[in-house]
Amino acid sequence: MLDYLGTRPEVDVAHVGIEGVSRWGKAALVTAALDERFAMVLIGSSGEGGVKPHRRNFGEQVENLTSIGEYRWMAGNFLKYGTERGRLGRKTANDLPIESHELLALVAPRLAFVSYGVPEQGDANWLDQQGSYMATVAAARAWSLLGRRDLGRGTDYRSAMLPPQGTNLLDGELAWRQHEGGHTDGLNMAYFLDWVDRKIGRGRHR
């Protein structure tokens, strides 16, 4: 799709972004991490396999994504980390060679906006909003290392506490906002677009 958009004169291919929620939030993150042609990403409520830490013992786990209900979402090599018995023996998230904040860090120094809702409105608690915020803080050093602004909350993920819902951490090229609704990024879309316009120096037509 991006190759096609590059053939269209009305598209500024240098400023194309990608977004997704839930399973598609995971996909948007992976796409932005691995394809540097995407200038920005909005990662909505991505949970395990997205921004949520694999090794954090809370909410959705690697074993959930390797189960019969969700295994088809993931690369085959990932599945071995949820096996009780197998040719390579028992494997868990602790055997993974990477952690979620490292995947997010691959987006740096480009624009990354991590979006979540609140459990009370339907953004399930097992998505681990707190853990995902911790991972975003842990990834922040990649932006500062490359001369960009991060969340402005330091890089000590161990002591990082989820800010109150509605707190706008939108000053850097790495951004975080937990909106007031449920399992969607629609309520953060206006914030995302205003943030992007500011970062690329472009005003939106209203």
Side-chain angles (χ1 to χ4, degrees):
M1 181 61 74
L2 186 57
D3 291 337
Y4 168 72
L5 290 175
T7 70
R8 305 296 303 177
E10 67 270 27
V11 174
D12 177 4
V13 76
H15 292 105
V16 173
I18 187 167
E19 68 87 28
V21 177
S22 195
R23 182 261 182 268
W24 303 112
K26 307 178 203 306
L29 171 57
V30 170
T31 301
L34 300 181
D35 193 336
E36 295 182 2
R37 295 178 300 166
F38 286 97
M40 62 206 69
V41 59
L42 172 57
I43 307 158
S45 300
S46 58
E48 175 59 41
V51 179
K52 178 197 175 295
H54 300 299
R55 296 178 180 89
R56 182 166 144 86
N57 188 18
F58 182 91
E60 194 175 30
Q61 301 291 302
V62 167
E63 289 82 0
N64 295 112
L65 292 191
T66 60
S67 71
I68 193 167
E70 298 179 3
Y71 74 91
R72 62 191 180 281
W73 293 357
M74 312 306 288
N77 193 44
F78 182 81
L79 302 184
K80 68 185 178 186
Y81 296 102
T83 56
E84 188 64 30
R85 294 185 304 275
R87 186 169 51 86
L88 300 175
R90 183 175 186 267
K91 297 282 186 182
T92 71
N94 292 324
D95 297 303
L96 279 164
I98 51 89
E99 188 46 280
S100 63
H101 71 283
E102 295 171 313
L103 179 61
L104 178 57
L106 289 176
V107 181
R110 291 167 290 139
L111 301 176
F113 186 122
V114 180
S115 167
Y116 274 89
V118 292
E120 294 81 5
Q121 297 295 323
D123 204 40
N125 199 41
W126 47 258
L127 290 167
D128 194 9
Q129 292 82 3
Q130 167 64 34
S132 297
Y133 177 70
M134 293 167 68
T136 305
V137 169
R141 67 188 66 192
W143 275 264
S144 55
L145 177 68
L146 295 172
R148 299 296 191 270
R149 295 181 68 182
D150 57 28
L151 296 180
R153 295 295 178 99
T155 57
D156 183 5
Y157 71 92
R158 294 177 184 87
S159 63
M161 295 302 297
L162 183 68
Q165 177 270 314
T167 301
N168 295 332
L169 300 180
L170 308 177
D171 291 334
E173 280 69 36
L174 174 64
W176 167 277
R177 187 173 189 276
Q178 184 183 26
H179 60 74
E180 64 276 14
H183 199 53
T184 177
D185 65 4
L187 295 170
N188 266 341
M189 187 59 70
Y191 292 91
F192 172 72
L193 293 174
D194 286 341
W195 172 73
V196 164
D197 285 339
R198 186 159 41 84
K199 290 298 177 181
I200 68 175
R202 179 174 301 174
R204 269 202 295 151
H205 300 291
R206 296 180 185 268

